[in-house]
Amino acid sequence: MRSRRSCLAVPGSNPRFLEKAQGLPADEVFLDLEDSVAPLAKEGARKNIVAALREGDWSGKTRVVRVNDLGTQWTYRDVIEVVEGAGEFLDCLMLPKVEDPTQVVWLDTLLTQIEKANGLEVGGIGIEAQIENARGLVNVDAIAGSSRRLETLVFGPADFMASINMRTLVVGEQPPGYTEGDAYHYILMRILMAARTHDLQAIDGPYLAIKDLDGYRRVAGRAAALGFDGKWVLHPTQVEAANEVFSPSQEDYDRAELILDAYEYYTTVEKRGAVMLGDEMIDEASRKMALVVAAKGRAASLGRTTAFTPPTA
Ligand code: GLV
Ligand code: MG
């Protein structure tokens, strides 16, 4: 699986941003043709994006292009121009405002045709589906299972809040007047369950108050704690924060590797099922939890600072 702790939004209409994004340490960049690009700038943005993908240095990053949603007149040309122009330099397309599985199937079929016609590996280009309205959330399980190309489900809070008439104008913050808990909890969990059911990643969307880094960390930390894999970043200052929040702490990573080693030792050498590690009892379920944290730590290139020493007889 590709690492997607930080997913950087880059408007396709802005060549300066397309250039600058290449130097930032984001795990993913998505070059946008949708809501950050004005209607009259869409055609020029397609050309900018094709040129940036072909000529830019995106090494180490997952390269994604967000096309326009299927309610517009732009989607099919977005897909054809971008994939014919730069298909071999592209990892995924992001489809916004997905409402039902047939929309993903449409994109999958079109991609297959373009790949065949252009000598690209069939199935090589993945899909990221944005869930950003009530219909998309109600159909999220079917959407998550609709194509083998799907790699992630992405929550789109701005469009989502508008779609359900939530009384807030600050994306990512709690609606004033609601004091019962986290207004986003159900939506995030719903998306996460669908993603995990189909082995997809779950990505949280944007936080628009780009000057408020503490707010970003708080909201990102909430999604990371639930199990989300990453979050959008709209500004360079948010990149480091996302990479940090979605990586395990050094302490948790060390502990996870220790649990894996200890469990391996006791179950194979001493042939015991449930064992003690310090004050904590660990078993097969603890091993699974440790695997998740260890995998995230390894993906974030953390190194171990402690080693397991088997007890001496
Ligand atoms: C992102 O696309 C959003 O609507 O929040
Ligand atoms: Mg949106």
Side-chain angles (χ1 to χ4, degrees):
M1 275 224 195
R2 311 179 206 273
S3 191
R4 284 185 167 93
R5 296 168 302 173
S6 48
C7 304
L8 176 68
V10 190
S13 49
N14 190 322
R16 196 168 59 83
F17 285 178
L18 287 166
E19 177 76 35
K20 192 166 177 211
Q22 298 170 39
L24 297 173
D27 288 347
E28 170 182 310
V29 285
F30 75 88
L31 314 183
D32 193 22
L33 287 169
E34 204 220 15
D35 283 354
S36 70
V37 177
L40 290 177
K42 302 268 188 205
E43 284 188 23
R46 289 182 191 134
K47 294 188 173 43
N48 295 341
I49 286 177
V50 167
L53 285 171
R54 296 192 69 89
E55 292 151 23
D57 177 6
W58 303 99
S59 41
K61 296 179 175 56
T62 297
R63 301 152 300 176
V64 178
V65 173
R66 178 165 75 163
V67 297
N68 285 280
D69 77 81
L70 280 166
T72 70
Q73 71 269 40
W74 295 300
T75 327
Y76 77 104
R77 272 196 200 286
D78 289 345
V79 178
I80 293 167
E81 277 198 34
V82 168
V83 179
E84 286 198 339
E88 66 270 50
F89 304 96
L90 181 68
D91 297 305
C92 291
L93 286 182
M94 188 188 306
L95 190 61
K97 301 180 179 68
V98 176
E99 297 192 345
D100 68 62
T102 62
Q103 300 182 322
V104 178
V105 173
W106 173 87
L107 181 56
D108 185 329
T109 309
L110 181 55
L111 278 171
T112 300
Q113 292 197 348
I114 304 172
E115 285 165 345
K116 281 183 180 164
N118 291 273
L120 298 166
E121 178 203 345
V122 172
I125 296 174
I127 298 177
E128 303 192 353
Q130 273 193 286
I131 304 299
E132 38 186 356
N133 52 45
R135 203 167 276 147
L137 192 68
V138 166
N139 292 328
V140 70
D141 288 323
I143 291 169
S146 60
S147 164
R148 293 168 64 100
R149 292 183 191 264
L150 272 173
E151 296 190 13
T152 74
L153 298 179
V154 183
F155 176 42
D159 276 301
F160 201 99
M161 275 46 259
S163 127
I164 64 169
N165 294 359
M166 190 185 271
R167 208 188 319 151
T168 178
L169 287 173
V170 187
V171 174
E173 291 300 344
Q174 303 299 319
Y178 185 73
T179 53
E180 309 309 314
D182 178 3
Y184 298 84
H185 181 77
Y186 168 74
I187 309 165
L188 291 173
M189 280 308 241
R190 192 75 197 76
I191 291 173
L192 185 61
M193 292 309 121
R196 293 295 177 252
T197 301
H198 295 275
D199 290 329
L200 307 179
Q201 288 180 325
I203 305 298
D204 193 14
Y207 184 76
L208 274 70
I210 52 174
K211 296 244 158 70
D212 181 3
L213 210 52
D214 288 341
Y216 182 85
R217 282 179 182 279
R218 182 167 33 79
V219 172
R222 196 171 67 188
L226 290 177
F228 272 63
D229 300 284
K231 183 171 172 66
W232 281 15
V233 293
L234 302 180
H235 191 267
T237 56
Q238 294 179 336
V239 177
E240 295 284 0
N243 288 345
E244 196 183 304
V245 169
F246 287 94
S247 303
S249 68
Q250 183 68 47
E251 195 184 338
D252 287 351
Y253 173 65
D254 279 332
R255 175 87 189 153
E257 294 284 16
L258 220 49
I259 289 175
L260 294 179
D261 285 351
Y263 190 71
E264 168 78 12
Y265 170 80
Y266 285 113
T267 51
T268 56
V269 180
E270 299 204 1
K271 303 200 169 45
R272 283 157 47 190
V275 296
M276 292 299 289
L277 182 66
D279 294 340
E280 198 185 331
M281 200 169 94
I282 56 173
D283 65 4
E284 174 57 25
S286 330
R287 190 186 71 88
K288 286 188 185 134
M289 291 166 68
L291 270 177
V292 172
V293 176
K296 288 196 177 190
R298 290 173 201 165
S301 307
L302 293 185
R304 292 184 68 163
T305 61
T306 54
F308 173 70
T309 34
T312 43

